[in-house]
Amino acid sequence: MWWKRPSVPIHRPDRSALLEQAPFAVVLVLVAVAALRIAQYHWRQGAVIIGAALLVAAVFRAVLPSARAGLLAVRGRPVDVISYAVLGLVILFVAFTITNGPLG
């Protein structure tokens, strides 16, 4: 009949494509928790969580093949691992060493 719409196949993403982004989702959830802690004026805890999230990203990138790393794979594996690890360690260093500042 003329009022019925033609049948259109529904595109469903492949499960492997969704699982490919799971490491990135874990890191993103950690950063969201950190943002929540920072918004609650616990900036040092938030910074520690962000540093830890970057270290988790470095471990995921080092362990997983590029096809499974998802959006964590930006450049070559050594560059990604070193970048995530160094930035995570710098953020942790700053969070643990700043004392008596205006934010706590």
Side-chain angles (χ1 to χ4, degrees):
M1 301 198 140
W2 61 272
W3 64 83
K4 289 188 177 180
R5 296 170 73 186
S7 177
V8 178
I10 298 173
H11 174 69
R12 294 189 179 158
D14 187 20
R15 278 192 183 198
S16 64
L18 290 176
L19 288 177
E20 181 178 295
Q21 300 306 327
F24 181 71
V26 169
V27 173
L28 200 61
V29 166
L30 286 172
V31 172
V33 169
L36 180 65
R37 293 304 292 160
I38 291 170
Q40 295 171 339
Y41 297 104
H42 297 285
W43 70 271
R44 187 170 285 133
Q45 291 176 5
V48 168
I49 296 171
I50 288 174
L54 284 165
L55 292 178
V56 167
V59 169
F60 278 149
R61 186 64 179 110
V63 172
L64 296 173
S66 294
R68 293 277 180 182
L71 291 173
L72 293 177
V74 179
R75 305 232 182 244
R77 183 185 311 239
V79 174
D80 284 343
V81 171
I82 291 170
S83 298
Y84 291 142
V86 168
L87 188 57
L89 290 173
V90 166
I91 290 174
L92 285 173
F93 176 78
V94 169
F96 287 132
T97 57
I98 292 180
T99 57
N100 298 329
L103 297 176

